[in-house]
Amino acid sequence: MSERTGADPIAIVGGGQAGASCAERLRKKGYDGRIVLIGAEPYFPYQRPPLSKKYLSGEWERDRLLLRPETFWRDQDIELKLGTGVTRLDADSRKLLVGDEEVRWSRLLLATGTRPRRLPGVSGEMSGVHVLRGIDDVDRLAPAFKPGAKLVVIGGGYVGLETAAVAVEAGLEVTVVEAAPRILARVTCEETADFFRDLHRARGVTLLEGQSVRGLCGGDTVTGVRLENGELPADLVLVGIGAVPETRLAEEAGIACDDGILVDARGRTSAPDIWAAGDCARFDFEGVSTRLENVQNAINQAETTADDMLGEAMDYAPVPWFWSDQYDVKLQIAGIGSGHDRLVPVIQENGRSHWYFRVGKLIAVDAINDGKAFMTAKRLLATKTLVDPDQLTRPGFEPRQLLAPV
């Protein structure tokens, strides 16, 4: 328990990347009041991206997932209430109900994240059916990764493909079913999807695109997946069809929500002294209502809210970036490519990149095993540098040629 006294604490609901980043930022900026960080999971704040890769494969032990060692939170005098979620938020009286305990607050951050989207039409629990969101999910899934087992992954996004890569390398028979016409449909161009489709098929993964799942087969234990035109046998199923923002607390408290908790450029919600950040927050990004599910956004947006709590914030203007590790291939994405009207591929000796343009303006780059292109793209987007698409097609082009001399 903190020895700090005085005004009610700054409370943070959510023990993930955003919540941890806000708490750290407050201390770094010199805030010396009480900070209470509340997490529903019983674990110290940890990284989620490695869950479907290094942790699932067994390459990392659990302790390596931790964002900070246990001693950090004690040394920073940040109170952690772990293993019990918040059941009620009263915005008027400034109280949270955490289990049987009432926690008062002076300022509040909602960093509640997301929950896995469930398979439509499937109710109840069935043994062998998994989602992948937290440590407990991986701890349930990993023991079933036995050579020869049949795994059906429902969803051809990042989590589904990363899990498929780990599974096939562990000797499982893997089938990925994607309802959209192609994998990675929401996040990359066709050319990037084509590359990863070929990569997975070369490693032995069966990819079924444009196939809708009608249900699961089996009683208490899953035995297969029912498609429009037949059934797939399955010893285990991973449902990876996206995530839903956790907005229940905010909605019940009367805070404005719309597929996320609505916030302004400094993370402020519609309620006084309540902010939101990370996967659960929806904000205006270049004129489009956007919710970003990535580590960079969780960190930077949470730090913006911490600064604003202390009266020091600037408007949040991110350059979104994402990454995915599949086999020995790293995909790094800078910007958001939706709505592009021109795509320019650049082939390098050890990698390739796809450059997205809209009305002549660079808006995103997919870099496949090409860290130079990725880092260059981040700088170009951050500085809003104009890029001539035709320059990318010239013989001997190298991405760093686009950067102004320092």
Side-chain angles (χ1 to χ4, degrees):
M1 175 64 68
S2 172
E3 297 180 356
R4 300 171 193 262
T5 59
D8 292 331
I10 292 178
I12 299 169
V13 179
Q17 184 75 69
S21 296
C22 179
E24 289 190 47
R25 183 74 164 193
L26 289 168
R27 285 287 185 251
K28 185 177 181 179
K29 286 285 190 174
Y31 177 72
D32 62 359
R34 287 179 62 203
I35 301 173
V36 179
L37 178 65
I38 305 163
E41 293 182 87
Y43 309 110
F44 290 95
Y46 65 89
Q47 308 172 65
R48 293 190 187 275
L51 289 174
S52 58
K53 300 179 278 287
K54 295 184 183 297
Y55 187 59
L56 178 59
S57 70
E59 183 178 344
W60 281 17
E61 298 292 333
R62 183 182 295 176
D63 286 351
R64 195 168 175 184
L65 293 172
L66 297 181
L67 291 169
R68 297 288 188 179
E70 178 180 350
T71 54
F72 171 85
W73 307 104
R74 183 170 61 250
D75 293 344
Q76 293 294 312
D77 198 10
I78 296 170
E79 300 175 48
L80 299 182
K81 296 182 181 295
L82 304 175
T84 304
V86 176
T87 55
R88 190 173 72 246
L89 160 61
D90 190 324
D92 295 326
S93 64
R94 301 187 179 221
K95 296 177 182 178
L96 297 168
L97 187 62
V98 185
D100 296 328
E101 180 185 1
E102 194 174 82
V103 176
R104 300 186 64 88
W105 50 270
S106 59
R107 283 156 286 182
L108 174 67
L109 173 69
L110 296 175
T112 47
T114 61
R115 64 182 185 277
R117 190 181 301 277
R118 298 290 175 170
L119 196 62
V122 176
S123 59
E125 298 295 328
M126 181 182 285
S127 177
V129 179
H130 300 266
V131 294
L132 207 165
R133 177 62 182 165
I135 284 176
D136 290 342
D137 296 325
V138 179
D139 288 348
R140 284 188 289 265
L141 177 61
F145 269 37
K146 298 176 181 178
K150 293 180 173 62
L151 167 66
V152 176
V153 177
I154 302 174
Y158 292 139
V159 170
L161 295 178
E162 289 166 359
T163 303
V166 173
V168 78
E169 290 191 321
L172 281 73
E173 297 180 23
V174 182
T175 301
V176 176
V177 181
E178 171 55 57
R182 63 174 176 85
I183 59 171
L184 300 172
R186 294 190 304 112
V187 293
T188 67
C189 61
E190 290 186 21
E191 288 80 354
T192 299
D194 291 344
F195 176 92
F196 282 94
R197 181 188 303 108
D198 292 343
L199 175 67
H200 280 275
R201 285 179 172 165
R203 300 297 180 104
V205 176
T206 299
L207 288 171
L208 303 178
E209 297 164 297
Q211 295 271 359
S212 296
V213 172
R214 296 305 189 192
L216 303 179
C217 308
D220 295 334
T221 302
V222 70
T223 59
V225 175
R226 189 166 61 252
L227 305 179
E228 296 173 300
N229 56 357
E231 295 181 1
L232 293 172
D235 298 307
L236 61 157
V237 172
L238 175 73
V239 180
I241 55 175
V244 179
E246 286 282 11
T247 58
R248 180 189 62 81
L249 280 178
E251 290 181 25
E252 292 178 355
I255 297 171
C257 297
D258 182 9
D259 186 34
I261 303 171
L262 300 180
V263 300
D264 66 9
R266 299 191 178 185
R268 300 171 183 173
T269 72
S270 62
D273 293 326
I274 300 179
W275 290 256
D279 293 4
C280 68
R282 177 170 289 277
F283 62 101
D284 180 274
F285 174 69
E286 298 186 351
V288 179
S289 179
T290 302
R291 191 168 56 79
L292 295 176
E293 297 179 19
N294 62 64
V295 171
Q296 165 264 333
N297 176 67
I299 294 171
N300 295 346
Q301 191 174 38
E303 290 180 346
T304 296
T305 65
D307 291 351
D308 196 50
M309 290 179 187
L310 303 179
E312 302 177 5
M314 297 178 62
D315 287 354
Y316 180 51
V319 175
W321 57 269
F322 316 82
W323 82 91
S324 177
D325 294 317
Q326 298 172 41
Y327 309 106
D328 54 352
V329 175
K330 180 178 287 291
L331 169 64
Q332 295 168 291
I333 300 175
I336 298 178
S338 57
H340 69 281
D341 52 30
R342 182 175 179 182
L343 189 89
V344 181
V346 176
I347 311 300
Q348 301 289 333
E349 182 178 354
N350 297 318
R352 63 186 298 156
S353 54
H354 299 135
W355 298 65
Y356 299 72
F357 292 85
R358 181 171 59 229
V359 195
K361 176 186 175 183
L362 178 69
I363 59 172
V365 173
D366 294 350
I368 301 171
N369 281 349
D370 192 341
K372 292 179 181 179
F374 171 67
M375 295 304 296
T376 299
K378 284 178 64 178
R379 288 181 58 183
L380 293 170
L381 292 168
T383 56
K384 302 185 184 302
T385 300
L386 294 177
V387 176
D388 178 3
D390 293 331
Q391 184 176 348
L392 280 62
T393 65
R394 295 170 186 167
F397 169 76
E398 206 279 327
R400 287 183 293 187
Q401 296 171 3
L402 300 171
L403 298 174
V406 178

